[in-house]
Amino acid sequence: MDTEKAPRPAPSSSGYTPLPNREPGAASGGSESGATFGRVLFSLRRWWMEDVVGTVDQAEVIEERREECLLSERYLFMTAMSAGIAVLGLLLSSPAVVIGAMLLSPLMGPIIGLGFALAIGDYHWLKQAARSLAWGTVLGVGLTAVLVYLSPIQPITPEIAARTQPNLFDLFVALFSALAGAYAMIRGRAGTIVGVAIATALMPPLAVIGFGLATLNWTVFSGALLLYVTNLITIALTAWGMARLYGFQTGLSERNTLFQNLAVAAVFVALAVPLAYSLQQIAWQTNAQRIVRDEIQDGFPEASLIDALSIDFKTDPMTISSTVFTPRYQTNAETAIEQTLARRLDERVELSLNQIESASGTAAEQAQLSAASAREEADAAARAEALATRLALVAGVSENDVVVDRTRRRAMVRASRLEGATLASYRALERRIAATEPDWTVELLPPLGELPARIPFDEDGPTPEGARALAVIQWAAARFDLPIVLVGPEEDASRAAELLGGRGVNVTTRDGDGPLRAQWGEDLGNALSGL
């Protein structure tokens, strides 16, 4: 007896294939619970395919996404305007201006387009979206770098710093925002895109990349680049997943689809690893701040108040400075707390405590003392900045080359070679700057040069000229940490060596003709190779 096969349902215009009108488990002899579960799954799948996927006009969605990926004059203009507004908002540390740049940025279009093109296997569209995104990225970074380079002020504001240390939370923000954005584009909810643009914040990280490039700050550049790449890849791959979930037709084979799925999973894992490590570092620093605050508080009476706390995790040892209002001064508190922190944090720690006695402990008095402390801190910061400016000027270098340690009150700079300047000239410059800041240790490291060729002595010892020459020799030996050789009459050389040795200089003597003079020792070659 011949049997006639039922015809297979044809695909609908929306891009999905209707499910056959039969339920699993109805004619089978399975258990009642298994049949019920199967019917539930079948109903859910049928509802999704017919009432959700079946209502999406895939052709219209794809056409709209294609238009947003075009490399047009409007796209480039809006990218440039968004980049300019973003970098100004970052330099001004104005969240409102930065949000305005987010809303203007057209970068979301090509990134979403990458995901849709990957989902349906349209590699011509994929290349088009990638080209538009690449040009937009280069334009955004280049324009912001030029604006920052031309700017007279280049501060790392809180808005800039907030985009230099991405973590796993940023990946989840991009993931959930992309889910909302892709859903809005598929279902035609365009108003949702405004919130997605603010949440993902594509243009501000690009502007921070340009800032790092213009200021040659690798930490800022690399951190912002990681954040931008995280947002970009997460949005694109989430759009790919949503397109696949909504049944967009693909020309890929089953094997290629499996390979694509594995590649997407691998990319997410590769992104998650460095971001998880960054999150772990942030968590450790947060816990370390709590430990530091607790230990400082425990080192003082209960009525004490921590007014200011600053921790620099990047230095070795870790530097901590704090101001504490206390009813009575605690002797050796700094050393004891420093040792405890080093043990608990398992890190080398250098603590600087500023204790301010506050007998009454009233809120008004503490507020006044806090304000006074803040003014002193601001004055100290301004003086340190002014000192760095003066040192850079006399050394012939930029301010970035001056090392200023406010905790130890020490400033150091390596001077460039100035035409006609001798070691005595560099010493005079250092003494002139140091005289303006008597509480600071100022060190100017000169280029390696010739030592005094004449050290006059008379019967009573070095002449005034000889004393100045010995002072220059002592100073130069301390700056370079090199031995000195005195060449000349034996008696004068012995007396000069005794004077220099008493000042901590490694000195030897050698008989020679002519006046007493100084030369660098045998370690000169090693020193020159290290400079």
PDB file of all heavy atoms in Angstrom, residues 298-329:
ATOM      1  N   ASP A 298      43.802  52.231  64.628  1.00  0.00           N
ATOM      2  CA  ASP A 298      44.102  51.448  65.832  1.00  0.00           C
ATOM      3  C   ASP A 298      45.373  51.930  66.537  1.00  0.00           C
ATOM      4  O   ASP A 298      45.560  51.648  67.726  1.00  0.00           O
ATOM      5  CB  ASP A 298      44.261  49.964  65.478  1.00  0.00           C
ATOM      6  CG  ASP A 298      42.934  49.343  65.038  1.00  0.00           C
ATOM      7  OD1 ASP A 298      41.890  49.953  65.307  1.00  0.00           O
ATOM      8  OD2 ASP A 298      42.971  48.269  64.399  1.00  0.00           O
ATOM      9  N   GLY A 299      46.228  52.627  65.828  1.00  0.00           N
ATOM     10  CA  GLY A 299      47.469  53.106  66.425  1.00  0.00           C
ATOM     11  C   GLY A 299      47.314  54.375  67.231  1.00  0.00           C
ATOM     12  O   GLY A 299      48.298  54.862  67.805  1.00  0.00           O
ATOM     13  N   PHE A 300      46.095  54.920  67.281  1.00  0.00           N
ATOM     14  CA  PHE A 300      45.852  56.168  67.994  1.00  0.00           C
ATOM     15  C   PHE A 300      44.648  55.998  68.924  1.00  0.00           C
ATOM     16  O   PHE A 300      43.882  55.046  68.783  1.00  0.00           O
ATOM     17  CB  PHE A 300      45.593  57.305  66.993  1.00  0.00           C
ATOM     18  CG  PHE A 300      46.807  57.729  66.225  1.00  0.00           C
ATOM     19  CD1 PHE A 300      47.138  57.089  65.040  1.00  0.00           C
ATOM     20  CD2 PHE A 300      47.635  58.724  66.707  1.00  0.00           C
ATOM     21  CE1 PHE A 300      48.262  57.467  64.325  1.00  0.00           C
ATOM     22  CE2 PHE A 300      48.760  59.112  66.010  1.00  0.00           C
ATOM     23  CZ  PHE A 300      49.086  58.478  64.816  1.00  0.00           C
ATOM     24  N   PRO A 301      44.472  56.907  69.874  1.00  0.00           N
ATOM     25  CA  PRO A 301      43.316  56.821  70.778  1.00  0.00           C
ATOM     26  C   PRO A 301      42.002  56.847  70.015  1.00  0.00           C
ATOM     27  O   PRO A 301      41.939  57.276  68.862  1.00  0.00           O
ATOM     28  CB  PRO A 301      43.482  58.063  71.673  1.00  0.00           C
ATOM     29  CG  PRO A 301      44.938  58.383  71.620  1.00  0.00           C
ATOM     30  CD  PRO A 301      45.396  57.996  70.251  1.00  0.00           C
ATOM     31  N   GLU A 302      40.945  56.419  70.698  1.00  0.00           N
ATOM     32  CA  GLU A 302      39.634  56.281  70.054  1.00  0.00           C
ATOM     33  C   GLU A 302      39.106  57.609  69.528  1.00  0.00           C
ATOM     34  O   GLU A 302      38.385  57.656  68.523  1.00  0.00           O
ATOM     35  CB  GLU A 302      38.650  55.682  71.058  1.00  0.00           C
ATOM     36  CG  GLU A 302      37.299  55.344  70.459  1.00  0.00           C
ATOM     37  CD  GLU A 302      36.391  54.652  71.447  1.00  0.00           C
ATOM     38  OE1 GLU A 302      36.892  54.246  72.524  1.00  0.00           O
ATOM     39  OE2 GLU A 302      35.192  54.516  71.148  1.00  0.00           O
ATOM     40  N   ALA A 303      39.438  58.701  70.179  1.00  0.00           N
ATOM     41  CA  ALA A 303      38.940  60.019  69.762  1.00  0.00           C
ATOM     42  C   ALA A 303      39.682  60.574  68.550  1.00  0.00           C
ATOM     43  O   ALA A 303      39.337  61.646  68.047  1.00  0.00           O
ATOM     44  CB  ALA A 303      39.055  61.000  70.925  1.00  0.00           C
ATOM     45  N   SER A 304      40.689  59.863  68.049  1.00  0.00           N
ATOM     46  CA  SER A 304      41.480  60.354  66.920  1.00  0.00           C
ATOM     47  C   SER A 304      40.669  60.270  65.626  1.00  0.00           C
ATOM     48  O   SER A 304      39.720  59.492  65.513  1.00  0.00           O
ATOM     49  CB  SER A 304      42.757  59.541  66.780  1.00  0.00           C
ATOM     50  OG  SER A 304      43.536  59.632  67.957  1.00  0.00           O
ATOM     51  N   LEU A 305      41.078  61.089  64.650  1.00  0.00           N
ATOM     52  CA  LEU A 305      40.374  61.151  63.374  1.00  0.00           C
ATOM     53  C   LEU A 305      41.389  61.205  62.241  1.00  0.00           C
ATOM     54  O   LEU A 305      42.314  62.017  62.261  1.00  0.00           O
ATOM     55  CB  LEU A 305      39.473  62.396  63.325  1.00  0.00           C
ATOM     56  CG  LEU A 305      38.765  62.664  61.996  1.00  0.00           C
ATOM     57  CD1 LEU A 305      37.732  61.573  61.712  1.00  0.00           C
ATOM     58  CD2 LEU A 305      38.106  64.037  62.006  1.00  0.00           C
ATOM     59  N   ILE A 306      41.210  60.302  61.255  1.00  0.00           N
ATOM     60  CA  ILE A 306      42.055  60.324  60.053  1.00  0.00           C
ATOM     61  C   ILE A 306      41.471  61.361  59.107  1.00  0.00           C
ATOM     62  O   ILE A 306      40.352  61.203  58.605  1.00  0.00           O
ATOM     63  CB  ILE A 306      42.100  58.940  59.386  1.00  0.00           C
ATOM     64  CG1 ILE A 306      42.701  57.912  60.339  1.00  0.00           C
ATOM     65  CG2 ILE A 306      42.907  59.006  58.096  1.00  0.00           C
ATOM     66  CD1 ILE A 306      42.704  56.496  59.776  1.00  0.00           C
ATOM     67  N   ASP A 307      42.225  62.408  58.856  1.00  0.00           N
ATOM     68  CA  ASP A 307      41.727  63.490  58.014  1.00  0.00           C
ATOM     69  C   ASP A 307      42.064  63.279  56.546  1.00  0.00           C
ATOM     70  O   ASP A 307      41.264  63.587  55.678  1.00  0.00           O
ATOM     71  CB  ASP A 307      42.315  64.824  58.480  1.00  0.00           C
ATOM     72  CG  ASP A 307      41.847  65.983  57.609  1.00  0.00           C
ATOM     73  OD1 ASP A 307      40.630  66.260  57.605  1.00  0.00           O
ATOM     74  OD2 ASP A 307      42.690  66.586  56.917  1.00  0.00           O
ATOM     75  N   ALA A 308      43.231  62.743  56.250  1.00  0.00           N
ATOM     76  CA  ALA A 308      43.649  62.541  54.860  1.00  0.00           C
ATOM     77  C   ALA A 308      44.455  61.260  54.772  1.00  0.00           C
ATOM     78  O   ALA A 308      45.218  60.924  55.685  1.00  0.00           O
ATOM     79  CB  ALA A 308      44.481  63.725  54.368  1.00  0.00           C
ATOM     80  N   LEU A 309      44.261  60.538  53.669  1.00  0.00           N
ATOM     81  CA  LEU A 309      44.979  59.284  53.446  1.00  0.00           C
ATOM     82  C   LEU A 309      45.280  59.155  51.963  1.00  0.00           C
ATOM     83  O   LEU A 309      44.383  59.236  51.124  1.00  0.00           O
ATOM     84  CB  LEU A 309      44.151  58.093  53.920  1.00  0.00           C
ATOM     85  CG  LEU A 309      44.769  56.698  53.699  1.00  0.00           C
ATOM     86  CD1 LEU A 309      46.069  56.561  54.479  1.00  0.00           C
ATOM     87  CD2 LEU A 309      43.799  55.611  54.101  1.00  0.00           C
ATOM     88  N   SER A 310      46.547  58.960  51.648  1.00  0.00           N
ATOM     89  CA  SER A 310      46.968  58.820  50.257  1.00  0.00           C
ATOM     90  C   SER A 310      47.881  57.605  50.144  1.00  0.00           C
ATOM     91  O   SER A 310      48.820  57.447  50.940  1.00  0.00           O
ATOM     92  CB  SER A 310      47.700  60.081  49.793  1.00  0.00           C
ATOM     93  OG  SER A 310      48.227  59.895  48.499  1.00  0.00           O
ATOM     94  N   ILE A 311      47.590  56.741  49.159  1.00  0.00           N
ATOM     95  CA  ILE A 311      48.374  55.524  48.950  1.00  0.00           C
ATOM     96  C   ILE A 311      48.801  55.467  47.490  1.00  0.00           C
ATOM     97  O   ILE A 311      47.969  55.609  46.592  1.00  0.00           O
ATOM     98  CB  ILE A 311      47.562  54.253  49.298  1.00  0.00           C
ATOM     99  CG1 ILE A 311      46.992  54.349  50.713  1.00  0.00           C
ATOM    100  CG2 ILE A 311      48.421  53.013  49.159  1.00  0.00           C
ATOM    101  CD1 ILE A 311      46.085  53.188  51.070  1.00  0.00           C
ATOM    102  N   ASP A 312      50.094  55.261  47.264  1.00  0.00           N
ATOM    103  CA  ASP A 312      50.618  55.076  45.907  1.00  0.00           C
ATOM    104  C   ASP A 312      51.039  53.625  45.761  1.00  0.00           C
ATOM    105  O   ASP A 312      52.079  53.201  46.283  1.00  0.00           O
ATOM    106  CB  ASP A 312      51.804  56.009  45.653  1.00  0.00           C
ATOM    107  CG  ASP A 312      52.213  56.043  44.184  1.00  0.00           C
ATOM    108  OD1 ASP A 312      51.767  55.149  43.433  1.00  0.00           O
ATOM    109  OD2 ASP A 312      52.972  56.940  43.795  1.00  0.00           O
ATOM    110  N   PHE A 313      50.208  52.830  45.050  1.00  0.00           N
ATOM    111  CA  PHE A 313      50.479  51.410  44.911  1.00  0.00           C
ATOM    112  C   PHE A 313      51.564  51.123  43.884  1.00  0.00           C
ATOM    113  O   PHE A 313      52.069  49.998  43.820  1.00  0.00           O
ATOM    114  CB  PHE A 313      49.192  50.674  44.501  1.00  0.00           C
ATOM    115  CG  PHE A 313      48.130  50.670  45.560  1.00  0.00           C
ATOM    116  CD1 PHE A 313      47.069  51.566  45.503  1.00  0.00           C
ATOM    117  CD2 PHE A 313      48.180  49.767  46.609  1.00  0.00           C
ATOM    118  CE1 PHE A 313      46.078  51.553  46.476  1.00  0.00           C
ATOM    119  CE2 PHE A 313      47.201  49.761  47.588  1.00  0.00           C
ATOM    120  CZ  PHE A 313      46.152  50.652  47.523  1.00  0.00           C
ATOM    121  N   LYS A 314      51.936  52.106  43.063  1.00  0.00           N
ATOM    122  CA  LYS A 314      52.870  51.849  41.969  1.00  0.00           C
ATOM    123  C   LYS A 314      54.318  51.945  42.394  1.00  0.00           C
ATOM    124  O   LYS A 314      55.208  51.489  41.676  1.00  0.00           O
ATOM    125  CB  LYS A 314      52.598  52.838  40.826  1.00  0.00           C
ATOM    126  CG  LYS A 314      51.207  52.686  40.223  1.00  0.00           C
ATOM    127  CD  LYS A 314      50.978  53.708  39.123  1.00  0.00           C
ATOM    128  CE  LYS A 314      49.574  53.581  38.538  1.00  0.00           C
ATOM    129  NZ  LYS A 314      49.326  54.588  37.478  1.00  0.00           N
ATOM    130  N   THR A 315      54.588  52.537  43.543  1.00  0.00           N
ATOM    131  CA  THR A 315      55.980  52.707  43.969  1.00  0.00           C
ATOM    132  C   THR A 315      56.460  51.466  44.712  1.00  0.00           C
ATOM    133  O   THR A 315      55.680  50.651  45.176  1.00  0.00           O
ATOM    134  CB  THR A 315      56.105  53.930  44.890  1.00  0.00           C
ATOM    135  OG1 THR A 315      55.245  53.752  46.032  1.00  0.00           O
ATOM    136  CG2 THR A 315      55.702  55.194  44.160  1.00  0.00           C
ATOM    137  N   ASP A 316      57.748  51.330  44.797  1.00  0.00           N
ATOM    138  CA  ASP A 316      58.358  50.254  45.563  1.00  0.00           C
ATOM    139  C   ASP A 316      59.468  50.865  46.434  1.00  0.00           C
ATOM    140  O   ASP A 316      60.495  51.288  45.921  1.00  0.00           O
ATOM    141  CB  ASP A 316      58.947  49.190  44.638  1.00  0.00           C
ATOM    142  CG  ASP A 316      59.473  47.985  45.411  1.00  0.00           C
ATOM    143  OD1 ASP A 316      59.063  47.809  46.579  1.00  0.00           O
ATOM    144  OD2 ASP A 316      60.306  47.241  44.854  1.00  0.00           O
ATOM    145  N   PRO A 317      59.247  50.933  47.758  1.00  0.00           N
ATOM    146  CA  PRO A 317      58.108  50.402  48.496  1.00  0.00           C
ATOM    147  C   PRO A 317      56.833  51.231  48.304  1.00  0.00           C
ATOM    148  O   PRO A 317      56.897  52.373  47.865  1.00  0.00           O
ATOM    149  CB  PRO A 317      58.577  50.478  49.943  1.00  0.00           C
ATOM    150  CG  PRO A 317      59.534  51.630  49.967  1.00  0.00           C
ATOM    151  CD  PRO A 317      60.247  51.586  48.638  1.00  0.00           C
ATOM    152  N   MET A 318      55.684  50.623  48.642  1.00  0.00           N
ATOM    153  CA  MET A 318      54.405  51.314  48.583  1.00  0.00           C
ATOM    154  C   MET A 318      54.447  52.501  49.543  1.00  0.00           C
ATOM    155  O   MET A 318      54.787  52.354  50.710  1.00  0.00           O
ATOM    156  CB  MET A 318      53.286  50.352  48.971  1.00  0.00           C
ATOM    157  CG  MET A 318      51.892  50.966  48.947  1.00  0.00           C
ATOM    158  SD  MET A 318      50.669  49.918  49.797  1.00  0.00           S
ATOM    159  CE  MET A 318      50.944  48.356  48.990  1.00  0.00           C
ATOM    160  N   THR A 319      54.122  53.693  49.043  1.00  0.00           N
ATOM    161  CA  THR A 319      54.195  54.900  49.878  1.00  0.00           C
ATOM    162  C   THR A 319      52.793  55.269  50.369  1.00  0.00           C
ATOM    163  O   THR A 319      51.838  55.307  49.596  1.00  0.00           O
ATOM    164  CB  THR A 319      54.796  56.074  49.098  1.00  0.00           C
ATOM    165  OG1 THR A 319      54.047  56.289  47.903  1.00  0.00           O
ATOM    166  CG2 THR A 319      56.239  55.789  48.733  1.00  0.00           C
ATOM    167  N   ILE A 320      52.701  55.532  51.659  1.00  0.00           N
ATOM    168  CA  ILE A 320      51.440  55.891  52.301  1.00  0.00           C
ATOM    169  C   ILE A 320      51.671  57.165  53.105  1.00  0.00           C
ATOM    170  O   ILE A 320      52.627  57.247  53.876  1.00  0.00           O
ATOM    171  CB  ILE A 320      50.946  54.775  53.240  1.00  0.00           C
ATOM    172  CG1 ILE A 320      50.803  53.449  52.485  1.00  0.00           C
ATOM    173  CG2 ILE A 320      49.636  55.157  53.900  1.00  0.00           C
ATOM    174  CD1 ILE A 320      50.534  52.269  53.394  1.00  0.00           C
ATOM    175  N   SER A 321      50.809  58.134  52.927  1.00  0.00           N
ATOM    176  CA  SER A 321      50.888  59.367  53.713  1.00  0.00           C
ATOM    177  C   SER A 321      49.504  59.650  54.296  1.00  0.00           C
ATOM    178  O   SER A 321      48.483  59.442  53.631  1.00  0.00           O
ATOM    179  CB  SER A 321      51.355  60.543  52.857  1.00  0.00           C
ATOM    180  OG  SER A 321      50.471  60.767  51.785  1.00  0.00           O
ATOM    181  N   SER A 322      49.493  60.109  55.534  1.00  0.00           N
ATOM    182  CA  SER A 322      48.224  60.343  56.209  1.00  0.00           C
ATOM    183  C   SER A 322      48.361  61.467  57.224  1.00  0.00           C
ATOM    184  O   SER A 322      49.437  61.672  57.796  1.00  0.00           O
ATOM    185  CB  SER A 322      47.756  59.058  56.910  1.00  0.00           C
ATOM    186  OG  SER A 322      46.538  59.265  57.592  1.00  0.00           O
ATOM    187  N   THR A 323      47.253  62.173  57.423  1.00  0.00           N
ATOM    188  CA  THR A 323      47.158  63.212  58.445  1.00  0.00           C
ATOM    189  C   THR A 323      46.145  62.755  59.487  1.00  0.00           C
ATOM    190  O   THR A 323      45.028  62.353  59.134  1.00  0.00           O
ATOM    191  CB  THR A 323      46.724  64.548  57.841  1.00  0.00           C
ATOM    192  OG1 THR A 323      47.684  64.963  56.863  1.00  0.00           O
ATOM    193  CG2 THR A 323      46.607  65.612  58.916  1.00  0.00           C
ATOM    194  N   VAL A 324      46.541  62.794  60.770  1.00  0.00           N
ATOM    195  CA  VAL A 324      45.694  62.289  61.844  1.00  0.00           C
ATOM    196  C   VAL A 324      45.520  63.368  62.907  1.00  0.00           C
ATOM    197  O   VAL A 324      46.507  63.945  63.382  1.00  0.00           O
ATOM    198  CB  VAL A 324      46.299  61.020  62.486  1.00  0.00           C
ATOM    199  CG1 VAL A 324      45.394  60.493  63.595  1.00  0.00           C
ATOM    200  CG2 VAL A 324      46.526  59.943  61.438  1.00  0.00           C
ATOM    201  N   PHE A 325      44.279  63.656  63.280  1.00  0.00           N
ATOM    202  CA  PHE A 325      43.992  64.512  64.435  1.00  0.00           C
ATOM    203  C   PHE A 325      43.941  63.617  65.664  1.00  0.00           C
ATOM    204  O   PHE A 325      43.167  62.660  65.713  1.00  0.00           O
ATOM    205  CB  PHE A 325      42.653  65.225  64.256  1.00  0.00           C
ATOM    206  CG  PHE A 325      42.640  66.218  63.131  1.00  0.00           C
ATOM    207  CD1 PHE A 325      41.745  66.083  62.073  1.00  0.00           C
ATOM    208  CD2 PHE A 325      43.526  67.270  63.113  1.00  0.00           C
ATOM    209  CE1 PHE A 325      41.731  66.986  61.034  1.00  0.00           C
ATOM    210  CE2 PHE A 325      43.517  68.190  62.077  1.00  0.00           C
ATOM    211  CZ  PHE A 325      42.623  68.047  61.031  1.00  0.00           C
ATOM    212  N   THR A 326      44.768  63.916  66.636  1.00  0.00           N
ATOM    213  CA  THR A 326      44.861  63.060  67.823  1.00  0.00           C
ATOM    214  C   THR A 326      44.900  63.907  69.092  1.00  0.00           C
ATOM    215  O   THR A 326      45.492  64.999  69.098  1.00  0.00           O
ATOM    216  CB  THR A 326      46.121  62.171  67.744  1.00  0.00           C
ATOM    217  OG1 THR A 326      46.243  61.404  68.948  1.00  0.00           O
ATOM    218  CG2 THR A 326      47.372  62.996  67.527  1.00  0.00           C
ATOM    219  N   PRO A 327      44.290  63.429  70.199  1.00  0.00           N
ATOM    220  CA  PRO A 327      44.331  64.189  71.459  1.00  0.00           C
ATOM    221  C   PRO A 327      45.746  64.350  72.001  1.00  0.00           C
ATOM    222  O   PRO A 327      46.045  65.336  72.670  1.00  0.00           O
ATOM    223  CB  PRO A 327      43.466  63.344  72.405  1.00  0.00           C
ATOM    224  CG  PRO A 327      42.607  62.523  71.511  1.00  0.00           C
ATOM    225  CD  PRO A 327      43.426  62.249  70.296  1.00  0.00           C
ATOM    226  N   ARG A 328      46.615  63.367  71.709  1.00  0.00           N
ATOM    227  CA  ARG A 328      48.002  63.477  72.173  1.00  0.00           C
ATOM    228  C   ARG A 328      48.925  62.828  71.146  1.00  0.00           C
ATOM    229  O   ARG A 328      48.560  61.866  70.466  1.00  0.00           O
ATOM    230  CB  ARG A 328      48.181  62.807  73.547  1.00  0.00           C
ATOM    231  CG  ARG A 328      47.766  61.358  73.590  1.00  0.00           C
ATOM    232  CD  ARG A 328      47.877  60.796  75.012  1.00  0.00           C
ATOM    233  NE  ARG A 328      47.467  59.403  75.077  1.00  0.00           N
ATOM    234  CZ  ARG A 328      46.213  58.992  75.192  1.00  0.00           C
ATOM    235  NH1 ARG A 328      45.235  59.885  75.262  1.00  0.00           N
ATOM    236  NH2 ARG A 328      45.929  57.701  75.243  1.00  0.00           N
ATOM    237  N   TYR A 329      50.128  63.361  71.077  1.00  0.00           N
ATOM    238  CA  TYR A 329      51.110  62.887  70.101  1.00  0.00           C
ATOM    239  C   TYR A 329      51.575  61.477  70.465  1.00  0.00           C
ATOM    240  O   TYR A 329      51.867  61.179  71.615  1.00  0.00           O
ATOM    241  CB  TYR A 329      52.308  63.840  70.066  1.00  0.00           C
ATOM    242  CG  TYR A 329      53.307  63.521  68.983  1.00  0.00           C
ATOM    243  CD1 TYR A 329      53.142  64.037  67.702  1.00  0.00           C
ATOM    244  CD2 TYR A 329      54.404  62.708  69.236  1.00  0.00           C
ATOM    245  CE1 TYR A 329      54.050  63.754  66.699  1.00  0.00           C
ATOM    246  CE2 TYR A 329      55.317  62.415  68.237  1.00  0.00           C
ATOM    247  CZ  TYR A 329      55.126  62.940  66.963  1.00  0.00           C
ATOM    248  OH  TYR A 329      56.031  62.644  65.981  1.00  0.00           O
TER     249      TYR A 329
END
